[in-house]
């Protein structure tokens, strides 16, 4: 049964009405809504050819299977799990059980064959910065074929396939004949969650990993500890969370929690990059680790408060060596984020022992030299664990000498172009977050602001631009916890997701608007409370509270 | 346990004397527990253990409400698990002789209106006295008793080991303003019933007493009318899944009633009515003779709304309700007849805001009507004319009208019992508007400072908290005409996915401003830790209230 079908059927579900006037607010920039020729695809693949020829997808007979030629088979649980997941997304209402298995119509798509083309599927690996996420998808009757060199590309292709399926008013599933070749523009497409300012229950983290996969994000940057609390339960130093978490039992991540999160992420092709930010942002560390932080002085006597990590004690480095040895085994990713941002020098300056040390080392009064001293020793420690590292931009801004393989994370202010230029000129690999601080909310459609950012707009050679490996959306936790994290994040982060995956020329806001509205309704239907972009509705509204 | 209870009660008496001395010397001692802050509250350090298995609610012998009072019976059912949040075992056995000394909340109500609806003049005052073994709650009405139960439930706290306590406390309380509302907009996004019911729950925890249901507007018409079913079948986002049936509406009203909340329905006209046009067939304005029958009439039917013109031909778009046509008023009379019987409240909101005159101006029939009525080219007179008719329709149905301030701004002749609703302007303009409306003798509700749909980074609750509704030039008499305020959550960017965390605890700030004494609650710094605690309490009760700042709750939200 071949039918020509426009995407309007799908759009019927997402009518958007324009409000004549928005109660005193007139500065809402409102894209016009039309049909996108790309339906509800998000992020848009690199190359899409979609025909108007539509096939039925039978809920009874359709299945996702390994292709005969595939190097991956039934033993690859990563893919088998993904098949089941996507089957449930495509047919959310439990399928009719067995008995009446009608034969599929000749024109149906009865199978999606997944074909891993390279000899090593990487099924049991962890995704890495060099993982191949490319895939080719060919939807035809009776068989659709998804070809990918590695399982990582297959995961991305399964998501794309699920986005091609649409339903008519009666819930019947259709898919158009389509050819897609796809690969990410940037290799690092991350999302930062902050579990220190507010503790995030495991459930919330898992749900957002799920949503990340739908948006083809591949890095979960886990800003796991910071000043307010230390929820990471360390085997080596259990007192860190015992004393430093909001609550030693209910507000911690146990080793098995962490393991579960890492595996859940792996199954979705997402790396977990942990951040243990030092020497600043460490107030909570001090509660469980005596003498780690610098005692601040008020005149000649200690004031009772503490500053950054004390960089002049050997015990500090002994501690860090043991601690990061643990971290490097707990988190399999090849990178650790070492933070290094916002170090306040005033406490160091007040401390007579540190003043003495500065003099001994010949640092004068340049405290960034002390910071540099600390960071370099920390980097040496981390190097022995065979991990790469990322640091926030101040470390380089303060003139700290860095190893050439350091990844610099640009986060500050409006002049991120200049910073990118500077960092890449110095030959460092870099990732961009400055324009994507999603914790800063404002009234209206701010997704457009995130969408319009062009990460490579800075002045620089091609070689420099190649050093920008991606970006991250950051949702800092001052005002965010389990109650509001998910709707605040989605679909605003989706805008960043497309910017980092799709071709640089994909920047038509109207087309994006049309696709994003449908994408957000899809997220809602899959159980994620993604907030609305504007007045309108989803066929299936959020069923939660 | 029994012995302890007895000795506690003796101690209570002694300590109370001691406390009275303290009370007099320091005038007032505040406790942090209750949000919004009661008018008078004092408590001592004496605390009593509450055992969920030895705790009962009871009607006092002299109370006019007795067992069988549906409203209070169900409130007892509700508050038991709200007080004992961890207690999942069977409910305590009542009148069990094993427990001769259970902690008893004794409720005394002067006038039982157990089957009635709360209304504009319902008393909500109560007195609560917590002593050993007993809490005495006295109120004039069941509505006051509900507020008192809420306060009592907030006095109960748990220690780290899960044990429940309540301190010796005396409260005398009444609301500063009689109208404390929350507006939800179910037209720009459809809000599923459970989202509305949940909001009503949270409202009662904050002592809000009016749910202003902005039920229809331009984008959609989800109210399923029994008189005009086409309004929703054509005007809703979806005729089956995105409508409120009569049963849904009844359920909302019943749920609200049990919590002492009025449901104020708004059917905004003549503007904000695009969705109405889709379902109203041509029984109203006949097509202008100049109408080209080939011109498509967009999705709507000709009739209720004004066809806009481009030059001498209809442009295919529609403007506000056609005020030039008597059939408009016939339609409205029938619709409001239904609405006023469905919604029991004695007030109905008629809207009347943001009427765009350009379409009226373009329409030759409307221009002809202007001429005939001698309005010249002053279209505010036309709007006036329309709203006067609407107010009179309402009056004929024995309801009092509430309208947005625009209606006053156009100097319309409206009955003096009409309530004006202020929604716009700078702080200075708002003060001016308050002055002039009250000077003219109208009652007024203030919403402008509490447009909570406008979000911002940081702790914007402070902004909502520090509003002074009576800070305008006017006599004492004028100030009494400010009957309250309202938090508005317009729906452009809000649906079931983000409504709750966006509303709470930001609306709680306004809740305290409208209930509590202004002098007692003037400090944001004092309010902050109380509100932090209160938001954790909301969370514990299943309300998805967002955090105020860095920190934690003992029991975090367990959803996503």
């Amino acid at each position: 049964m071949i039918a020509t079908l426009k995407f309007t059927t799908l759009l019927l579900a997402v009518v958007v009405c324009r409000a004549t006037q928005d109660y005193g607010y007139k500065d809402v920039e409102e894209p016009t809504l039309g049909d996108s020729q790309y339906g509800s695809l998000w992020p848009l693949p690199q190359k899409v050819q979609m025909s108007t020829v539509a096939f039925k997808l039978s809920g009874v007979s359709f299945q996702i299977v390994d292709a005969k030629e595939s190097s991956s088979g039934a033993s690859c649980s990563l893919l088998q799990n993904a098949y089941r997941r996507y089957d449930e997304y495509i047919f959310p209402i439990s399928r009719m059980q067995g008995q009446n298995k009608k034969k599929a119509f000749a024109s149906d798509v009865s199978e999606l064959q997944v074909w891993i083309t390279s000899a090593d599927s990487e099924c049991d690996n962890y995704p890495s910065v060099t993982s191949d996420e490319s895939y080719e998808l060919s939807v035809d009757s009776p068989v659709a074929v998804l070809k990918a060199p590695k399982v990582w590309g297959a995961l991305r292709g399964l998501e794309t396939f699920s986005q091609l399926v649409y339903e008519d008013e009666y819930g019947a599933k259709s898919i158009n004949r389509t050819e897609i070749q796809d690969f990410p523009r940037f290799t690092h497409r991350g999302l930062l969650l902050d579990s220190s300012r507010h503790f995030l229950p495991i459930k919330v983290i898992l749900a957002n990993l799920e949503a990340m996969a739908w948006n083809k994000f591949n890095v979960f940057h886990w800003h796991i500890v910071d000043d307010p609390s230390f929820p990471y339960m360390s085997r080596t130093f259990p007192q860190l969370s015992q004393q430093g978490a909001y609550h030693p039992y209910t507000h911690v991540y146990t080793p098995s929690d962490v393991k579960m999160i890492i595996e859940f992420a792996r199954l979705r092709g997402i790396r977990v990059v942990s951040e243990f930010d030092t020497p600043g942002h460490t107030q909570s560390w001090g509660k469980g680790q005596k003498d780690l932080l610098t005692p601040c002085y008020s005149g000649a006597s200690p004031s009772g408060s503490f500053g950054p990590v004390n960089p002049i004690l050997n015990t500090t480095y002994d501690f860090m060596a043991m601690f990061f040895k643990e971290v490097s085994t707990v988190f399999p990713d090849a990178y650790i984020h070492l933070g290094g941002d916002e170090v306040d020098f005033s406490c160091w300056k007040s401390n007579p022992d540190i003043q003495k040390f500065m003099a001994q080392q010949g640092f004068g009064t340049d405290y960034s030299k002390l910071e540099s001293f600390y960071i370099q020793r920390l980097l040496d420690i981390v190097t022995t664990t065979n991990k790469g590292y990322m640091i926030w931009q101040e470390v380089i801004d303060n003139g700290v000498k860095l190893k050439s393989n350091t990844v610099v994370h640009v986060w500050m202010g409006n002049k991120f172009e200049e910073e990118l230029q500077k960092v890449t000129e110095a030959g460092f690999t870099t990732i961009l977050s400055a324009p994507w601080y999603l914790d800063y909310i404002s009234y209206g459609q701010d997704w457009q602001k995130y969408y319009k950012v062009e990460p490579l707009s800075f002045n620089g050679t091609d070689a420099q631009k190649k050093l920008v490996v991606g970006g991250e959306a950051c949702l800092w936790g001052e005002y965010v916890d389990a109650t509001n994290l998910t709707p605040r994040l989605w679909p605003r982060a989706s805008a960043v997701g497309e910017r980092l995956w799709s071709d640089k020329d994909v920047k038509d806001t109207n087309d994006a608007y049309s696709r994003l509205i449908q994408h957000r309704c899809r997220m809602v239907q899959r159980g994620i409370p993604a907030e609305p972009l504007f007045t309108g509705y989803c066929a299936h509204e959020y069923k939660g509270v | 346990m029994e012995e302890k209870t007895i000795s506690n009660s003796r101690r209570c008496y002694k300590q109370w004397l001691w406390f009275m001395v303290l009370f007099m010397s320091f005038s007032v001692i505040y406790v942090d527990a209750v949000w919004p802050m009661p008018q008078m509250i004092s408590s001592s350090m004496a605390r009593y253990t509450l055992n969920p298995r030895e705790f009962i609610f009871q009607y006092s012998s002299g109370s006019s409400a007795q067992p069988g009072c549906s409203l209070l019976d169900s409130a007892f059912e509700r508050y038991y698990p709200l007080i004992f949040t961890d207690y999942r075992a069977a409910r305590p056995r009542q009148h069990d002789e094993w427990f001769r000394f259970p902690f008893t909340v004794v409720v005394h109500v002067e006038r039982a209106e157990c089957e009635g609806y709360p209304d504009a003049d319902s008393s909500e005052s109560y007195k609560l006295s917590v002593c050993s073994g007993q809490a005495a709650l006295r109120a004039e009405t069941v509505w006051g008793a509900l507020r008192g139960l809420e306060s009592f439930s907030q006095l109960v706290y748990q220690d780290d080991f899960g044990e429940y306590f309540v301190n010796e406390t005396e409260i005398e309380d009444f609301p500063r303003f009689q109208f404390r509302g929350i507006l939800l907009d179910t037209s720009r996004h459809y809000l599923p019933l459970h989202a509305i019911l949940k909001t009503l729950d949270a409202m009662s925890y904050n002592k809000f007493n009016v749910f202003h249901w902005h039920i229809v507007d331009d984008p959609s018409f989800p109210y399923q009318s029994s008189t005009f079913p086409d309004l929703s079948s054509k005007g809703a986002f979806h005729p089956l899944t995105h409508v409120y049936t009569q049963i849904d509406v009844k359920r909302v009203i019943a749920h609200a009633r049990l919590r002492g909340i009025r449901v104020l329905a708004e059917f905004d006209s003549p503007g904000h009515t695009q969705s109405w046009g889709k379902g109203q067939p041509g029984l109203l304005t006949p097509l202008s003779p100049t109408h080209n029958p080939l011109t498509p009439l967009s999705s709507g039917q000709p009739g209720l709304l004004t066809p806009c013109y481009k030059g001498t031909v209809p442009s295919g778009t529609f403007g506000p309700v056609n005020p030039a046509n008597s059939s408009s008023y016939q339609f409205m009379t029938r619709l409001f007849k239904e609405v006023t019987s469905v919604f029991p409240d004695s007030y109905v909101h008629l809207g009347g805001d943001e009427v765009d005159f350009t379409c009226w101006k373009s329409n030759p029939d409307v221009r002809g009507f202007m001429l005939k009525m001698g309005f010249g080219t002053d279209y505010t007179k036309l709007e006036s004319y329309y709203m006067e008719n609407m107010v009179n329709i309402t009056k004929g149905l024995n309801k009092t009208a509430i309208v947005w301030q625009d209606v006053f701004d156009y100097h319309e002749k409206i009955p003096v019992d009409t309530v004006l609703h202020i929604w716009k302007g700078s702080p200075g303009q708002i003060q001016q508007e308050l002055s002039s409306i009250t000077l003219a003798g109208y009652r007024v509700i203030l919403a402008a400072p509490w447009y909570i749909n406008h979000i911002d980074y940081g702790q914007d609750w402070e902004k909502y908290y520090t509003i002074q509704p009576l800070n305008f030039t006017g006599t004492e008499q004028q100030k009494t005409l400010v009957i309250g305020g309202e938090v508005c959550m317009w729906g452009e960017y809000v649906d079931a996915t983000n409504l709750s965390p966006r509303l709470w605890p930001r609306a709680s700030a306004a809740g305290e401003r409208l209930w509590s004494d202004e002098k007692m609650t003037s400090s944001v710094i004092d309010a902050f830790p109380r509100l932090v605690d209160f938001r954790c309490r909301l969370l514990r009760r299943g309300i998805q209230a967002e955090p105020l700042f860095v920190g934690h709750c003992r029991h975090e939200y367990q959803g996503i």
Side-chain angles (χ1 to χ4, degrees):
Chain A
M1 196 177 72
I2 298 177
T4 52
L5 237 155
K6 284 183 286 177
F7 276 99
T8 42
T9 38
L10 204 127
L11 280 166
L12 271 175
V14 268
V15 174
V16 166
C17 299
R18 306 172 73 100
T20 47
Q21 199 190 349
D22 177 25
Y23 283 90
Y25 255 68
K26 289 168 192 154
D27 57 347
V28 182
E29 207 183 317
E30 197 186 312
T32 44
L33 180 66
D35 301 358
S36 170
Q37 57 171 315
Y38 302 115
S40 65
L41 286 173
W42 194 278
L44 193 65
Q46 299 286 344
K47 229 179 130 188
V48 188
Q49 278 177 293
M50 216 183 271
S51 120
T52 52
V53 177
F55 308 113
K56 287 268 175 261
L57 224 61
S58 158
V60 195
S61 58
F62 175 79
Q63 48 188 339
I64 305 174
V65 295
D66 294 310
K68 278 200 309 289
E69 310 87 333
S70 179
S71 66
S72 150
S75 64
C76 177
S77 60
L78 181 143
L79 279 186
Q80 301 305 323
N81 274 332
Y83 298 165
R84 188 179 59 200
R85 205 161 61 238
Y86 280 98
D87 189 272
E88 280 167 11
Y89 289 153
I90 295 168
F91 300 102
I93 303 154
S94 62
R95 297 230 218 167
M96 283 180 285
Q97 295 303 317
Q99 66 263 42
N100 266 337
K101 267 206 170 179
K102 284 183 292 180
K103 235 179 118 65
F105 287 107
S107 58
D108 284 356
V109 175
S110 59
E111 262 183 14
L112 171 63
Q113 296 180 353
V114 180
W115 179 359
I116 306 299
T117 55
S118 79
D120 178 10
S121 69
E122 297 186 5
C123 181
D124 297 317
N125 296 16
Y126 288 97
S128 75
V129 69
T130 54
S131 291
D132 187 344
E133 293 175 289
S134 69
Y135 67 92
E136 285 178 31
L137 178 61
S138 165
V139 179
D140 209 332
S141 179
V143 169
V145 179
L146 169 60
K147 273 164 67 169
K150 307 285 180 188
V151 290
W152 317 116
L155 289 173
R156 305 293 168 247
L158 282 167
E159 176 58 36
T160 303
F161 180 84
S162 75
Q163 295 187 1
L164 289 171
V165 178
Y166 55 97
E167 68 175 25
D168 65 21
E169 261 185 282
Y170 307 101
K173 309 286 178 182
S174 299
I175 189 166
N176 286 28
R177 174 180 282 156
T178 306
E179 296 290 329
I180 287 177
Q181 281 136 37
D182 202 9
F183 54 88
R185 181 181 176 203
F186 293 104
T187 55
H188 185 115
R189 303 178 308 283
L191 183 66
L192 177 149
L193 296 183
D194 168 1
S195 60
S196 172
R197 290 181 175 81
H198 285 99
F199 178 78
L200 301 173
I202 308 284
K203 200 171 159 186
V204 174
I205 294 177
L206 299 184
N208 282 284
L209 286 167
E210 197 84 87
M212 282 173 70
W214 307 339
N215 290 274
K216 296 191 170 69
F217 278 98
N218 67 353
V219 179
F220 168 36
H221 176 167
W222 194 353
H223 188 85
I224 190 166
V225 300
D226 202 301
D227 285 328
S229 76
F230 196 102
Y232 172 76
M233 192 189 278
S234 159
R235 285 180 206 272
T236 323
F237 300 101
Q239 71 277 17
L240 286 170
S241 63
Q242 193 70 33
Q243 306 291 325
Y246 284 130
H247 187 285
Y249 301 111
T250 59
H251 288 63
V252 292
Y253 303 105
T254 65
S256 66
D257 291 341
V258 172
K259 217 176 195 160
M260 188 217 290
I261 285 169
I262 292 169
E263 179 62 8
F264 192 93
R266 184 187 82 85
L267 292 175
R268 285 151 186 82
I270 298 171
R271 301 162 51 200
V272 178
V273 174
S274 60
E275 176 179 355
F276 289 88
D277 192 352
T278 66
H281 288 278
T282 47
Q283 289 295 304
S284 69
W285 302 48
K287 295 180 183 161
Q289 186 63 22
K290 214 170 140 268
D291 296 334
L292 179 65
L293 304 186
T294 311
C296 313
Y297 276 67
S298 184
S301 52
S303 69
S305 64
F306 294 87
V309 166
N310 193 334
I312 66 169
L313 301 178
N314 282 331
T315 51
T316 293
Y317 300 101
D318 297 343
F319 166 82
M320 290 295 173
M322 285 174 75
F323 184 74
F324 278 101
K325 193 173 167 203
E326 172 187 322
V327 166
S328 68
T329 58
V330 169
F331 293 90
D333 199 77
Y335 285 82
I336 297 179
H337 204 300
L338 299 175
D341 59 320
E342 299 184 309
V343 183
D344 182 0
F345 295 147
S346 57
C347 183
W348 280 350
K349 284 180 188 166
S350 77
N351 183 303
D353 296 336
I354 291 197
Q355 289 160 12
K356 209 183 296 164
F357 184 82
M358 292 281 289
Q360 275 169 13
Q361 296 287 324
F363 292 162
T365 55
D366 185 354
Y367 282 82
S368 68
K369 286 198 173 128
L370 182 59
E371 184 189 355
S372 186
F373 173 84
Y374 170 81
I375 296 275
Q376 279 170 14
R377 287 195 64 174
L378 183 67
L379 296 189
D380 289 340
I381 288 167
V382 175
T383 304
T384 64
T385 66
N386 288 320
K387 296 281 182 179
Y389 32 77
M390 309 209 259
I391 45 92
W392 295 106
Q393 72 177 76
E394 288 101 310
V395 180
I396 194 170
D397 294 349
N398 289 350
V400 175
K401 284 213 185 66
L402 289 170
K403 294 168 199 285
S404 62
N405 58 346
T406 309
V407 178
V408 179
H409 199 159
V410 173
W411 70 276
M412 282 167 109
N414 305 321
K415 294 182 177 167
F416 71 84
E417 290 95 341
E418 287 173 27
E419 185 75 11
L420 287 175
Q421 189 184 345
K422 198 176 88 185
V423 172
T424 54
E425 206 161 34
F428 291 105
T429 304
T430 181
I431 52 178
L432 178 65
S433 275
W436 293 313
Y437 265 38
L438 302 190
D439 50 319
Y440 291 119
I441 52 167
S442 56
Y443 188 70
Q445 299 206 27
D446 56 359
W447 70 272
Q448 295 177 46
K449 189 171 69 186
Y450 308 127
Y451 190 74
K452 286 172 181 163
V453 172
E454 171 43 53
L456 302 187
S457 61
F458 64 92
N459 288 325
T461 63
D462 284 351
Q464 271 176 272
K465 305 217 165 170
K466 280 214 175 69
L467 289 170
V468 181
V469 294
E472 270 183 19
C474 298
L475 193 64
W476 294 101
E478 279 85 350
Y479 301 102
V480 177
D481 72 0
T483 61
N484 58 356
L485 182 142
T486 310
R488 196 163 282 201
L489 192 52
W490 309 106
R492 293 162 76 230
S494 305
V496 184
E498 175 149 304
R499 182 52 54 238
L500 293 172
W501 178 279
S502 305
D503 189 79
K504 139 175 179 296
D505 294 329
V506 177
K507 54 187 179 188
D508 177 345
T509 318
N510 290 331
D511 185 75
Y513 186 51
S514 155
R515 287 182 292 112
L516 189 53
I517 282 173
Q518 300 173 63
H519 180 55
R520 103 95 185 168
C521 284
R522 178 167 47 227
M523 289 194 277
V524 169
Q525 194 176 359
R526 290 179 182 182
I528 287 287
E531 66 179 19
L533 294 168
F534 195 54
T535 305
Y537 79 109
C538 297
H540 305 274
E541 300 287 0
Y542 184 60
K543 296 283 190 299
V545 185
Chain B
M1 186 42 114
E2 287 157 24
E3 271 182 13
K4 192 177 157 198
T5 314
I6 292 161
S7 69
N8 270 353
S9 84
R10 278 194 214 108
R11 201 169 67 222
C12 168
Y13 180 66
K14 267 187 265 166
Q15 287 196 344
W16 197 248
L17 285 178
W18 163 83
F19 175 74
M20 286 310 286
V21 176
L22 205 73
F23 181 82
M24 284 183 251
S25 49
F26 292 96
S27 85
V28 187
I29 293 172
Y30 300 119
V31 292
D32 294 350
V34 183
W35 189 282
M37 175 79 83
Q39 300 287 342
M40 260 186 63
I41 178 166
S42 53
S43 69
S44 81
M45 299 301 285
R47 67 176 195 179
Y48 312 115
T49 311
L50 294 185
N51 181 345
R53 293 184 51 78
E54 299 180 23
F55 178 93
I56 55 170
F57 292 103
Q58 237 171 36
Y59 294 93
S60 82
S61 54
S63 168
S64 73
Q66 289 296 330
C69 173
S70 66
L71 194 114
L72 287 180
D73 284 351
S74 66
F76 298 160
E77 295 266 340
R78 224 166 43 239
Y79 275 102
Y80 183 83
L82 291 177
I83 291 166
F84 302 109
T85 40
D86 288 340
Y87 195 71
R88 303 203 192 290
R91 306 245 314 120
R93 284 160 292 188
Q94 298 218 352
H95 311 297
D96 193 319
E97 45 187 284
W98 294 346
F99 307 123
R100 274 170 297 165
F101 300 101
F103 189 99
T104 312
V105 178
V106 183
V107 180
H108 179 94
V109 174
E110 298 284 328
R111 281 185 288 116
E113 305 162 74
C114 294
E115 307 305 320
Y117 290 92
D119 215 333
D121 52 3
S122 297
S123 161
E124 292 172 290
S125 66
Y126 67 93
K127 284 183 189 172
L128 177 65
S129 169
V130 181
C131 202
S132 170
Q134 177 173 305
L137 171 60
R138 298 180 71 88
E140 212 179 303
T141 66
V142 288
W143 318 116
L146 289 176
R147 304 295 168 246
L149 284 171
E150 177 56 39
S151 294
F152 176 78
S153 75
Q154 294 188 20
L155 290 174
V156 178
Y157 58 95
Q158 274 179 289
D159 68 7
D160 283 345
F161 305 99
E163 218 174 331
Y164 296 96
F165 296 96
V166 64
N167 281 39
E168 190 173 46
T169 307
E170 292 285 311
I171 292 178
E172 262 191 71
D173 203 8
F174 53 87
R176 179 183 179 201
F177 292 105
Q178 152 213 112
F179 186 110
R180 305 177 309 281
I182 289 204
L183 175 149
L184 294 185
D185 168 3
T186 57
S187 173
R188 291 182 175 82
H189 284 98
Y190 177 80
L191 296 174
L193 210 57
H194 65 82
I196 295 176
L197 301 181
K198 202 78 179 170
T199 303
L200 290 168
D201 292 348
M203 282 172 69
S204 71
Y205 307 151
N206 287 272
K207 297 192 170 74
F208 279 99
N209 68 350
V210 181
F211 168 39
H212 176 169
W213 196 349
H214 188 85
I215 191 165
V216 301
D217 202 302
D218 284 328
S220 78
F221 197 104
Y223 172 77
Q224 198 174 67
S225 158
S226 44
T227 321
F228 301 104
D230 273 357
L231 286 169
S232 65
S233 71
K234 302 222 167 97
F237 284 135
H238 188 285
L240 298 173
T241 58
H242 287 64
V243 294
Y244 302 105
T245 65
Q246 290 294 321
I247 290 169
D248 293 339
V249 172
K250 282 205 175 74
R251 189 155 162 216
V252 168
I253 294 168
H255 196 91
R257 183 189 85 87
L258 290 176
R259 286 154 185 81
I261 298 170
R262 301 160 54 195
V263 179
L264 172 66
E266 177 180 355
F267 287 80
D268 191 354
S269 73
H272 289 281
T273 48
Q274 289 294 304
S275 68
W276 303 43
K278 295 181 181 165
Q280 246 316 289
L283 59 96
L284 302 174
T285 321
L287 283 180
S288 155
T290 55
H291 176 244
N292 173 357
L294 295 176
T295 309
L297 284 165
S298 81
S299 54
Q301 307 279 356
L304 181 64
L305 303 187
T306 311
C308 313
Y309 276 66
K310 204 173 173 147
T312 56
V313 288
S315 67
T317 62
F318 293 84
V321 168
N322 193 338
N325 212 304
S326 62
S327 51
S328 291
Y329 304 104
Q330 286 157 21
F331 164 80
M332 287 296 182
T333 306
R334 290 182 66 196
L335 179 68
F336 275 86
K337 200 169 168 191
E338 173 186 325
V339 165
T340 52
S341 71
V342 169
F343 293 90
D345 203 76
S346 59
Y347 288 74
V348 66
H349 205 301
L350 301 178
D353 59 319
E354 296 186 309
V355 183
D356 183 1
F357 296 145
T358 51
C359 183
W360 280 350
K361 284 179 188 166
S362 77
N363 182 299
D365 297 339
V366 174
R367 286 201 303 266
F369 184 76
M370 292 282 287
L371 213 60
K372 194 176 112 195
M373 299 297 290
F375 291 161
T377 54
D378 184 356
Y379 282 81
T380 65
K381 287 192 173 142
L382 182 58
E383 190 195 343
S384 259
Y385 170 82
Y386 174 83
M387 288 310 293
E388 272 172 54
N389 274 289
M390 288 303 297
V391 171
N392 288 334
I393 288 169
T394 315
K395 224 177 167 48
L397 294 162
N398 282 322
K399 299 278 178 171
T400 308
I402 303 180
V403 292
W404 296 108
Q405 70 183 92
D406 313 41
V407 177
F408 174 82
D409 298 346
Y410 291 139
H411 308 291
E412 287 151 29
K413 282 171 260 152
I414 44 174
V416 77
D417 67 343
T418 309
V419 179
L420 277 307
H421 200 157
I422 297 183
W423 66 273
K424 62 181 172 182
S426 65
Q429 288 168 324
I430 293 167
Q431 287 173 1
Q432 184 53 47
E433 189 80 0
L434 280 164
S435 287
S436 39
I437 291 177
T438 53
L439 189 63
Y442 291 104
R443 287 174 298 164
V444 62
I445 298 162
L446 184 62
W450 292 303
Y451 263 39
I452 212 159
N453 53 310
H454 294 150
I455 53 167
D456 219 337
Y457 184 72
Q459 301 206 30
D460 59 357
W461 70 273
E462 297 178 355
K463 191 170 68 188
Y464 306 123
Y465 192 75
T466 49
I467 299 297
Q468 297 177 302
L470 300 187
N471 181 17
F472 64 91
T473 314
T475 62
E476 282 308 304
Q477 178 57 29
Q478 274 175 269
K479 308 236 161 155
T480 62
L481 292 171
V482 180
I483 60 170
E486 195 174 86
V487 172
C488 296
M489 183 60 94
W490 295 102
E492 281 84 352
Y493 301 102
V494 177
D495 71 1
T497 61
N498 59 355
L499 170 71
S500 286
R502 208 165 269 210
L503 191 53
W504 308 109
R506 294 163 76 228
S508 305
E512 177 148 299
R513 182 53 51 241
L514 294 170
W515 177 280
S516 306
D517 181 75
E518 195 168 283
K519 283 203 187 75
M520 282 169 72
T521 56
S522 57
S523 160
V524 168
I525 293 161
D526 293 345
F528 179 73
R530 293 175 50 237
L531 191 52
V532 165
D533 276 1
F534 182 59
R535 99 99 184 170
C536 287
R537 194 181 282 275
L538 290 176
L539 212 56
R540 191 75 181 107
R541 294 179 174 190
I543 301 301
Q544 205 178 329
E546 68 179 18
L548 293 168
F549 195 56
V550 175
H552 79 292
C553 295
R554 192 191 297 167
H555 301 276
E556 301 288 358
Y557 181 66
Q558 289 306 317
I560 49 163

